[in-house]
Amino acid sequence: MKKEYKLALFIFITIFVIDQFVKYAFVSFSWDIDGPFMSLKLAYNYGVAFSMFSFLQEYLKYIQLLIVLIATIYLLKNKEVFFKYYIAISILYSAGLSNILDRFTYGAVVDYFYWHYGFEFAIFNIADVMINLAVALIILMQIKEMRKEKKNKEIKF
């Protein structure tokens, strides 16, 4: 097995297990804590980011699974994309599938981080943070690649 696959699998399993453990603990043991800047409060998100599309509550898990299936087919047909972004993809898949599992297990995504210092922000979870991290990594890699291509074009002329 290629080292990229091994590392991707390790990242996937690690993030998935940690996220599911923390969510289970919040649901089962009431880990609610109030803090001056951020609190830990159990909340259920029936939609996606910022509870958008919550009217699709019953169908979101299937829509999201379909999106994951389409993305997987794309990656199988375009392996170079996977190998280029395998770390970000493994983070994205683990976090996304963890949130989808929540929909099947709890009927909604389990959220618990509540930022309230200076302004109130949406309640979110580790998987949400990881999804944003993965997207940021992809964007940064794209910017780096565009700069490199631009620099190579300037050198040729």
Side-chain angles (χ1 to χ4, degrees):
M1 187 186 297
K2 289 188 173 186
K3 69 174 182 145
E4 291 89 354
Y5 286 131
K6 287 180 182 178
L7 182 56
L9 186 61
F10 175 78
I11 291 168
F12 178 92
I13 291 169
T14 302
I15 293 171
F16 190 89
V17 168
I18 290 170
D19 187 57
Q20 283 298 305
F21 172 78
V22 172
K23 289 173 178 177
Y24 176 80
F26 268 96
V27 170
S28 301
F29 306 121
S30 301
W31 279 3
D32 287 2
I33 300 170
D34 286 323
F37 301 101
M38 186 174 81
S39 297
L40 301 174
K41 297 276 185 200
L42 175 63
Y44 293 97
N45 184 351
Y46 297 97
V48 292
F50 306 104
S51 296
M52 292 185 301
F53 306 116
S54 56
F55 64 92
L56 293 171
Q57 170 186 349
E58 286 301 313
Y59 306 103
L60 273 176
K61 57 189 165 199
Y62 301 111
I63 293 167
Q64 290 174 325
L65 277 177
L66 180 62
I67 292 168
V68 170
L69 178 63
I70 292 167
T72 302
I73 292 168
Y74 174 83
L75 289 172
L76 288 171
K77 290 184 178 212
N78 299 281
K79 287 184 171 57
E80 72 280 356
V81 174
F82 173 79
F83 287 110
K84 185 175 183 179
Y85 300 105
Y86 72 95
I87 292 175
I89 289 169
S90 62
I91 293 169
L92 188 62
Y93 265 63
S94 64
L97 287 171
S98 183
N99 278 346
I100 292 170
L101 179 60
D102 287 1
R103 293 186 188 286
F104 283 98
T105 307
Y106 306 109
V109 175
V110 176
D111 288 332
Y112 43 84
F113 288 127
Y114 173 51
W115 180 267
H116 53 77
Y117 180 76
F119 62 93
E120 290 189 19
F121 192 72
I123 298 177
F124 56 97
N125 60 41
I126 291 171
D128 298 336
V129 173
M130 293 294 107
I131 290 168
N132 285 298
L133 173 66
V135 171
L137 281 172
I138 292 169
I139 291 170
L140 287 172
M141 290 175 73
Q142 286 286 308
I143 290 170
K144 186 177 177 181
E145 185 178 324
M146 286 176 14
R147 287 182 178 168
K148 184 178 177 182
E149 287 175 9
K150 185 179 177 184
K151 188 176 181 180
N152 286 341
K153 284 182 183 178
E154 289 174 359
I155 292 173
K156 289 181 183 178
F157 292 112

